[in-house]
Amino acid sequence: MVSTAMVHTVKGGLMDFLGHSEKDVTFPHTFYEIRHRLRLDASSESEVDVYAFGDREYWLCESKWWETQKVGVPVVMEFLELAEKLKDFEERKYFEGERPLVIKLWLFAYNGVNQAAEALLQQYAIYWSTREDLDALIKMVGLRKLPEFSGTV
């Protein structure tokens, strides 16, 4: 659903809302590539939920549909490690120099994040959204409402 919202938001231009960002967020004019559940290397810890590229920007999105607990620092640290693995996956030279490619990270945390994780997200300028934030984004771009699940972690 995150990638579908990204594509529909791109078609609409400026994204006015992405939860917990101090400024408006813009997506690339066009995403040239969007992949789901992509492994950035051979390890089991290298899988990213959404990988997208467009206009010199890579977007990595992680989704934690945890209804009863908040996301903590370990998840954020793993997400930062995925950004480093992306540099190796695509070749580090493209992320250096005069016109480096940019990596943007977006974490979907159904039930939010704890205070320590939120501080880390702000420190590294990682976008993040809760279930309510994603519902509002989905409504804004005219997509079907997310289903209700019960009994999940």
Side-chain angles (χ1 to χ4, degrees):
M1 186 54 75
V2 169
S3 62
T4 304
M6 290 169 72
V7 169
H8 281 73
T9 302
V10 168
K11 290 179 182 176
L14 177 68
M15 178 177 177
D16 296 321
F17 180 82
L18 183 58
H20 314 281
S21 174
E22 294 180 8
K23 58 183 179 179
D24 283 344
V25 178
T26 57
F27 282 129
H29 179 69
T30 300
F31 281 108
Y32 306 114
E33 180 176 15
I34 295 179
R35 294 189 198 179
H36 298 93
R37 301 192 67 193
L38 176 70
R39 279 207 175 168
L40 299 173
D41 66 24
S43 71
S44 61
E45 298 84 29
S46 71
E47 187 174 281
V48 65
D49 291 333
V50 178
Y51 159 104
F53 177 73
D55 296 341
R56 305 193 56 78
E57 291 182 0
Y58 282 94
W59 280 77
L60 297 182
C61 305
E62 276 293 294
S63 177
K64 300 300 178 194
W65 195 287
W66 300 345
E67 294 181 9
T68 59
Q69 69 186 55
K70 294 185 180 294
V71 167
V73 169
V75 169
V76 178
M77 295 304 296
E78 290 169 9
F79 201 15
L80 289 168
E81 289 174 19
L82 283 175
E84 287 302 311
K85 289 181 180 189
L86 172 69
K87 291 176 184 177
D88 293 330
F89 183 76
E90 295 292 347
E91 292 192 53
R92 285 192 173 268
K93 67 182 179 181
Y94 298 116
F95 298 93
E96 302 164 355
E98 290 182 29
R99 293 193 59 216
L101 297 175
V102 176
I103 299 173
K104 295 194 177 179
L105 304 176
W106 179 9
L107 173 67
F108 168 71
Y110 181 100
N111 199 31
V113 299
N114 66 30
Q115 285 183 328
E118 185 171 0
L120 199 54
L121 291 166
Q122 286 181 334
Q123 178 184 346
Y124 286 96
I126 298 173
Y127 303 118
W128 67 280
S129 301
T130 63
R131 168 66 191 258
E132 292 82 22
D133 299 328
L134 192 56
D135 283 344
L137 174 60
I138 288 167
K139 183 177 181 181
M140 182 181 79
V141 298
L143 295 174
R144 186 180 71 226
K145 186 177 187 266
L146 289 172
E148 295 293 331
F149 295 111
S150 62
T152 59
V153 178

